[in-house]
Amino acid sequence: MMGTLARPLDALSLFLFRLALIGAVAAVLVMVFSAGWQVIARYALNAPPIWTEELARRAMVWAGMLGASCAFRAQADPVLFPKARDVTGAAGNALVLVRLVGVILFSAPVIWFSLFDGRMNIARGFLGRSAMRQAEMLDVPMIWFTVAVPLAFVIIIIHALSETATRLSGQMPVSPLKSEG
């Protein structure tokens, strides 16, 4: 059963990796061009726009969160015991389950409190509060920026579930860094 679940889950994880990578690169480009325009406008035109700094900061959040999910999938994230990923057999299966539990224990509260506050009020969760606020210089609701946090953690959980299912089925996840063809 784990084998039939592993490949589609790994394909979903790989698709989300590629999508997040495109998003992270786009966010970095927005950040660089926004900051670049601010420098040009300040020193060459002597008229810096008020929105560029905030746009660069918000793009940095998206780049960081999506980039973190990509690093997790590519196994380029910081880990305490990097050689634990190389262990196979029953011990390797146990370690991949421990990693999954650790990821869920870390990610679940972030996702939960992004949706709800301590009293289960969805309007007072992180996203609910963000939906009611406007960015200072950009006329955009803050939720468009803050949704990057729970989204990245959901993607990380999917990556962890994919790695776990694939490893428990005796296979290795498809490397997202290998070119196709």
Side-chain angles (χ1 to χ4, degrees):
M1 162 136 168
M2 194 60 69
T4 57
L5 179 65
R7 279 299 160 209
L9 199 51
D10 195 43
L12 173 64
S13 174
L14 188 58
F15 172 77
L16 290 174
F17 168 84
R18 290 179 178 152
L19 200 59
L21 187 59
I22 290 167
V25 169
V28 167
L29 290 174
V30 167
M31 184 175 61
V32 167
F33 288 127
S34 175
W37 177 247
Q38 183 175 22
V39 169
I40 291 168
R42 173 171 287 153
Y43 296 109
L45 305 176
N46 202 22
I50 60 173
W51 53 267
T52 53
E53 184 179 340
E54 185 168 10
L55 181 60
R57 280 195 319 263
R58 304 307 177 196
M60 184 172 51
V61 170
W62 273 98
M65 296 309 298
L66 293 177
S69 75
C70 291
F72 186 87
R73 168 62 195 212
Q75 297 185 352
D77 57 320
V79 294
L80 291 175
F81 306 105
K83 296 293 181 191
R85 289 179 169 150
D86 300 335
V87 178
T88 58
N93 289 347
L95 288 172
V96 79
L97 287 170
V98 167
R99 178 176 160 105
L100 176 64
V101 168
V103 167
I104 290 173
L105 286 175
F106 184 79
S107 301
V110 173
I111 296 166
W112 181 264
F113 287 107
S114 290
L115 297 174
F116 303 105
D117 71 351
R119 294 188 175 122
M120 297 289 297
N121 183 352
I122 199 163
R124 298 295 306 150
F126 179 58
L127 293 177
R129 290 189 318 269
S130 296
M132 302 300 170
R133 295 182 16 222
Q134 290 289 113
E136 291 178 27
M137 301 299 163
L138 303 171
D139 192 25
V140 177
M142 288 295 292
I143 195 166
W144 289 104
F145 307 115
T146 56
V147 74
V149 176
L151 178 65
F153 278 96
V154 167
I155 294 171
I156 288 171
I157 286 178
I158 292 169
H159 291 329
L161 289 169
S162 166
E163 179 187 14
T164 302
T166 305
R167 293 279 307 267
L168 290 178
S169 70
Q171 306 167 43
M172 291 302 290
V174 174
S175 172
L177 303 178
K178 288 185 181 178
S179 61
E180 295 177 28

